[in-house]
């Protein structure tokens, strides 16, 4: 393929001026929304994905992502809910949750708060722009922009809550109240879901809590503007999450897909529902009993699509704690698949490879 007289290999994302173009784009601090606001009709080359990344799914005909109704906990249906979570985590790696206890007002205000942040004047928003992962709150476009083969059509704001806390003054005023209320609900829901997942593994309900593996939250709020050429790019490349567990809020635009039995299937927005994703570290400690779900987000002409993903990681005291397959799952006939690792090592490797469409887990296999 020739672009402006230059050799351009879209299949591997490489062309001679790519690094320069990416650097120039990054330095604008305007993100994808800045491109859309400028009226672009064609997306920059570094957003173009190879055809194999863009392969269409069947939309989900004949399949449905499991839906767990947590209202059943009040009706004495705990065993049925635990069984449903076990089956979903073993076969899908994800499930939707309804009647989870977070009021619709908080959900709707959270989505609106994320929209307000991303749609504020660019000169104000760019003050939050950073690629420093140690910054507790930062706005950026593609965390792996400089290492990925192709960029994704989205902007993000990330908020780090070590041990579930963050000085509210560190949050942008435009969405401070909404994030505070939402993360409080996430912490409460995490306790409930952590118990159910522990029981689904056949362990005591406080097992995961005692491991300290879900005490820190990273809330990443994505903004996917409408795209002029959605067939050439993605909102998010195929990936799995590096967390133990992720709880996702999505608006009603759609575009989220999961890979199930080698098919891309839609997770259609369900009013008021939250999506729970099993993360890589959960697959690691369960020795492949629970599966980390591979998923992606399609680019759309309509937009913006807005989502908020809450990733659960170990407490600050456990950042360098070694996590490996749980002893209760091991035997002479079920040897450990993975070596022990700590969350910082896992995240360092995950970030170094970028969202390249492959899992980070094989790197940690014995």
């Amino acid at each position: 393929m020739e672009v402006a007289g230059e050799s351009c290999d879209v299949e591997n994302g490489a062309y001679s001026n790519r690094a320069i173009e990416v650097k120039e784009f990054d330095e604008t601090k305007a993100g994808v929304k800045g491109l859309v606001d400028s009226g672009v009709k064609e997306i920059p080359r570094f957003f173009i994905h190879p055809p194999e990344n863009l392969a269409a799914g069947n939309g989900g005909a004949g399949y449905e992502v499991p839906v767990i109704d947590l209202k059943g906990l009040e009706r004495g249906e705990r065993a049925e809910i635990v069984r449903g979570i076990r089956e979903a985590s073993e076969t899908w790696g994800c499930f939707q949750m309804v009647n989870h206890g977070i009021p619709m007002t908080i959900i709707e205000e959270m989505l609106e708060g994320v929209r307000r942040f991303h749609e504020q004047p660019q000169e104000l928003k760019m003050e939050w722009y950073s690629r420093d992962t140690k910054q507790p709150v930062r706005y950026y476009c593609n965390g792996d922009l400089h290492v990925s083969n192709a960029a994704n059509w989205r902007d993000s704001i990330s908020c780090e809550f070590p041990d579930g806390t963050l000085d509210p003054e560190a949050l942008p005023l435009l969405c401070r109240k909404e994030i505070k209320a939402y993360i409080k609900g996430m912490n409460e829901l995490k306790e409930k879901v952590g118990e159910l997942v522990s029981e689904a593994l056949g362990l005591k309900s406080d097992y995961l809590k005692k491991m300290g593996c879900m005490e820190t939250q990273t809330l990443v709020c994505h903004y996917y503007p409408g795209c002029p050429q959605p067939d050439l790019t993605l909102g998010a490349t195929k990936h799995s999450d590096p967390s133990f567990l992720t709880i996702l809020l999505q608006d009603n635009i759609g575009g989220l897909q999961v890979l199930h039995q080698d098919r891309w299937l839609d997770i259609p927005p369900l009013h008021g529902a939250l999506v729970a994703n099993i993360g890589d570290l959960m697959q690691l400690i369960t020795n492949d009993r629970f599966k980390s779900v591979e998923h992606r987000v399609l680019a759309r002409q309509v937009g913006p699509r807005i989502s908020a993903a809450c990733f659960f990681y170990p407490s600050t005291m456990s950042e360098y704690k070694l996590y490996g397959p749980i002893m209760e799952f091991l035997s002479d006939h079920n040897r450990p698949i993975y070596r022990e690792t700590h969350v910082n090592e896992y995240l360092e490797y995950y970030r170094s490879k970028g969202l390249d469409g492959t899992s980070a887990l094989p790197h940690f296999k014995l």
Side-chain angles (χ1 to χ4, degrees), residues 9-12 48-56 231-232 234 296:
D9 183 358
V10 173
E11 290 196 3
N12 65 18
I48 297 176
H49 285 250
E52 60 269 22
N53 283 15
L54 302 167
D231 294 338
L232 297 181
L234 287 166
R296 69 180 184 180

Side-chain angles (χ1 to χ4, degrees), residues 200-220:
L201 287 166
L203 304 167
K204 291 183 178 179
S205 60
D206 62 352
Y207 193 97
L208 291 176
K209 184 175 181 63
K210 285 185 173 178
M211 285 183 70
C213 63
M214 296 198 296
E215 302 306 308
T216 286
Q217 295 83 46
T218 299
L219 182 66
V220 184

